[in-house]
């Protein structure tokens, strides 16, 4: 998450809702209680559930099993950081081969995903371009680690995962030189990515005195334009939020309404999911100065509730996003006998008729006169 003054080249695209376009709305939800609290506050079901895991933690627990049973869709982020806080090198993950501890970790993760028995959106090390990820390596190291992880999962038989590459929203516009953005440097390639995501926040001046208010279009349009270069990929906001403007009450509520209008407009048809983030429900404040909670004012809470009521933001399953498992062709079981009217198996009837014919021929031969 970063705050920058974002200058867009060209116009910002907005519009009216696109017919048939559905986006999955959700929020961070580490526990069943957090998800239920959010849904109670919202007055609507929140389909997408974002959970965060460290490298050596189990990917799923009883809370995610509950989410699966109740039909929620789980987005799991796996950080290259251990439970004790130690950060892993992306270069080491990229070099992990059979027999190594890191390879064994990936095998364990793959088994957990397969056992989950539902489609999972998997994120490896979200926001690799953020300052907090710098000790893990550079862009080339991240790309190699991402590719090895996806390749290892696939080789282990994982078929129920979609891989969501997730950057800061800032990465899609920051100039990395030679006509490239940071996003270009960290992109693993279409063969290793199913969906492209950004984490985009309107910080206003809470993070820096030089910050400014940024509209949803200013924040998200660079990701949209990056997606146009990868038209076969879905786009997502896996974190988004806004602070209040102390000088203009109600401005955050309007920001939320504008976000809903933006994501459902024709130019944003590639967008498939939008998950809100705040640290208010976890009990662990990340940044006391920046409050992204949608409950910061009655107007903001009402705007969030209205956002959740928008039909185009009410995709209720991964199937509505086009991620249903391919239906298997129906075929007759080879050991199942064909039945005809009356309940008799065809094979049994045929065998009886053949036996009867053989019996009749034997009787006819026995009756023939000698010498004939």
């Amino acid at each position: 998450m970063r705050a920058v003054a974002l200058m867009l080249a060209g116009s910002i695209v907005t519009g009216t809702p696109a017919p048939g376009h559905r986006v999955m709305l959700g929020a961070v939800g580490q526990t069943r209680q957090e998800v239920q609290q959010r849904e109670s506050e919202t007055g609507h079901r929140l389909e997408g559930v974002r959970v965060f895991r460290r490298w050596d933690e189990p990917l799923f627990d009883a809370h995610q099993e509950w989410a699966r049973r109740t039909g929620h869709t789980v987005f799991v982020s796996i950080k290259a950081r251990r439970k004790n806080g130690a950060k892993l090198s992306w270069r080491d993950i990229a070099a992990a081969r059979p027999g190594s501890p890191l390879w064994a970790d990936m095998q364990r993760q793959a088994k957990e995903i397969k056992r989950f028995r539902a489609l999972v959106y998997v994120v490896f090390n979200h926001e690799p371009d953020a300052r907090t990820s710098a000790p893990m390596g550079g862009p080339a190291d991240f790309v190699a680690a991402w590719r090895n992880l996806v390749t290892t999962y696939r080789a282990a038989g994982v078929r129920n995962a979609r891989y969501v590459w997730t950057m800061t929203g800032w990465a899609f516009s920051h100039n990395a030189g030679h006509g490239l953005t940071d996003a270009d440097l960290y992109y693993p390639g279409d063969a290793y990515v199913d969906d492209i995501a950004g984490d985009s926040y309107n910080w206003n001046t809470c993070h820096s005195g030089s910050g400014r208010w940024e509209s949803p279009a200013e924040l998200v349009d660079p990701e949209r334009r990056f997606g146009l270069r990868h038209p076969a990929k879905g786009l997502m906001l896996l974190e988004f939020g806004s602070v209040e403007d102390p000088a203009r009450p109600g401005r955050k509520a309007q920001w939320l309404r504008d976000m809903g209008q933006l994501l459902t407009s024709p130019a944003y048809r590639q967008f498939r999911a939008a998950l809100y983030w705040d640290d208010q429900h976890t009990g662990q404040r990340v940044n006391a100065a920046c409050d992204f909670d949608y409950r910061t004012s009655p107007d903001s809470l009402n705007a969030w509730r209205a956002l959740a009521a928008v039909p185009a933001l009410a995709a209720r399953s991964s199937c509505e996003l086009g991620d249903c498992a391919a239906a298997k062709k129906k075929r007759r079981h080879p050991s199942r006998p064909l039945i005809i009217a009356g309940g008799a198996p065809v094979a049994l009837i045929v065998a009886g008729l053949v036996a009867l014919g053989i019996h009749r021929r034997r009787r006819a031969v026995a009756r023939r006169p000698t010498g004939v």
Side-chain angles (χ1 to χ4, degrees), residues 142-279:
F142 172 79
V143 167
W146 176 286
R147 290 178 176 177
N148 192 38
L149 181 133
V150 171
T151 299
T152 300
Y153 284 4
R154 288 172 174 169
V158 173
R159 300 292 181 267
N160 59 321
R162 284 187 65 92
Y163 302 99
V164 188
W165 173 72
T166 306
M167 302 292 291
T168 65
W170 182 79
F172 295 100
S173 60
H174 183 255
N175 186 357
H178 305 288
L180 302 174
T181 64
D182 281 2
D184 292 311
L185 300 184
Y186 282 90
Y187 191 61
D190 283 355
Y192 300 91
V193 171
D194 292 306
D195 296 288
I196 295 166
D199 293 345
S200 296
Y201 292 88
N202 172 37
W203 298 83
N204 198 19
T205 58
C206 81
H207 189 66
S208 169
S210 61
R212 68 178 182 85
W213 189 268
E214 296 179 274
S215 71
E218 288 179 287
L219 291 168
V220 184
D221 201 63
E223 181 185 345
R224 178 192 69 85
R225 286 185 283 166
F226 184 89
L228 293 177
R229 292 156 46 198
H230 305 273
K233 305 302 175 183
L235 300 180
M236 297 180 174
L237 284 178
L238 286 198
E239 294 178 27
F240 76 98
S242 175
V243 297
E244 297 278 358
D245 185 349
R248 291 177 56 180
R251 199 177 187 187
K252 176 176 179 176
Q254 185 59 50
W255 189 94
L256 289 168
R257 288 189 287 268
D258 291 344
M259 180 63 81
Q261 181 180 11
L262 187 77
L263 293 177
T264 58
S265 64
Y268 286 74
R269 291 188 68 98
Q270 271 184 265
F271 278 82
R272 297 148 48 85
L275 309 184
Y276 200 85
W277 184 92
D278 63 53
D279 56 4

Side-chain angles (χ1 to χ4, degrees), residues 7-330:
M7 302 301 295
L8 298 181
S11 60
I12 296 171
V13 181
T14 60
T16 55
H21 179 205
R22 303 276 279 184
V23 176
M24 179 182 292
L25 189 66
V28 57
Q30 293 283 98
T31 67
R32 170 180 179 173
Q33 292 73 24
E34 184 180 353
V35 175
Q36 290 177 324
Q37 181 183 349
R38 288 188 183 277
E39 292 182 336
S40 176
E41 295 165 349
T42 303
H44 290 272
R45 175 184 171 87
L46 296 174
E47 173 62 31
V49 175
R50 179 86 180 274
V51 297
F52 298 88
R53 291 290 184 263
R54 286 165 291 190
W55 181 262
D56 51 352
E57 286 183 311
L59 300 186
F60 312 107
D61 57 23
H63 299 288
Q64 286 74 59
E65 292 292 341
W66 168 83
R68 177 185 57 78
R69 291 195 305 272
T70 53
H72 292 81
T73 300
V74 175
F75 295 73
V76 60
S77 290
I78 307 169
K79 201 72 169 180
R81 182 187 293 120
R82 296 194 183 279
K83 289 184 289 186
N84 63 8
K87 294 182 178 181
L88 298 174
S89 161
W90 291 330
R91 187 171 298 179
D92 289 344
I93 294 174
R97 295 295 180 266
S100 69
L102 290 176
W103 184 85
D105 289 337
M106 288 188 280
Q107 292 297 307
R108 186 259 307 166
Q109 294 162 0
K111 289 178 181 178
E112 289 188 66
I113 295 170
K114 289 192 293 183
R115 286 199 302 262
F116 193 64
R117 303 192 313 279
L119 189 140
V120 181
Y121 291 90
V122 176
V123 182
F124 169 66
N125 210 113
H126 66 285
E127 301 184 3
D129 59 309
R131 188 179 300 109
T132 54
S133 295
M136 300 170 186
D141 300 322
F142 172 79
V143 167
W146 176 286
R147 290 178 176 177
N148 192 38
L149 181 133
V150 171
T151 299
T152 300
Y153 284 4
R154 288 172 174 169
V158 173
R159 300 292 181 267
N160 59 321
R162 284 187 65 92
Y163 302 99
V164 188
W165 173 72
T166 306
M167 302 292 291
T168 65
W170 182 79
F172 295 100
S173 60
H174 183 255
N175 186 357
H178 305 288
L180 302 174
T181 64
D182 281 2
D184 292 311
L185 300 184
Y186 282 90
Y187 191 61
D190 283 355
Y192 300 91
V193 171
D194 292 306
D195 296 288
I196 295 166
D199 293 345
S200 296
Y201 292 88
N202 172 37
W203 298 83
N204 198 19
T205 58
C206 81
H207 189 66
S208 169
S210 61
R212 68 178 182 85
W213 189 268
E214 296 179 274
S215 71
E218 288 179 287
L219 291 168
V220 184
D221 201 63
E223 181 185 345
R224 178 192 69 85
R225 286 185 283 166
F226 184 89
L228 293 177
R229 292 156 46 198
H230 305 273
K233 305 302 175 183
L235 300 180
M236 297 180 174
L237 284 178
L238 286 198
E239 294 178 27
F240 76 98
S242 175
V243 297
E244 297 278 358
D245 185 349
R248 291 177 56 180
R251 199 177 187 187
K252 176 176 179 176
Q254 185 59 50
W255 189 94
L256 289 168
R257 288 189 287 268
D258 291 344
M259 180 63 81
Q261 181 180 11
L262 187 77
L263 293 177
T264 58
S265 64
Y268 286 74
R269 291 188 68 98
Q270 271 184 265
F271 278 82
R272 297 148 48 85
L275 309 184
Y276 200 85
W277 184 92
D278 63 53
D279 56 4
Q280 307 305 302
H281 295 74
T282 64
Q284 298 177 347
R285 294 295 301 274
V286 175
N287 190 329
C290 301
D291 195 347
F292 295 101
D293 192 341
Y294 48 69
R295 303 170 298 179
T296 46
S297 68
D299 284 345
S300 294
L301 178 56
N302 288 333
W304 169 253
R305 288 171 173 168
L307 188 71
V310 174
L313 296 175
R316 287 292 177 253
S317 72
S318 57
C319 286
E320 290 195 41
L321 304 183
D323 289 338
C324 281
K328 295 181 179 180
K329 294 182 179 180
K330 293 182 179 180

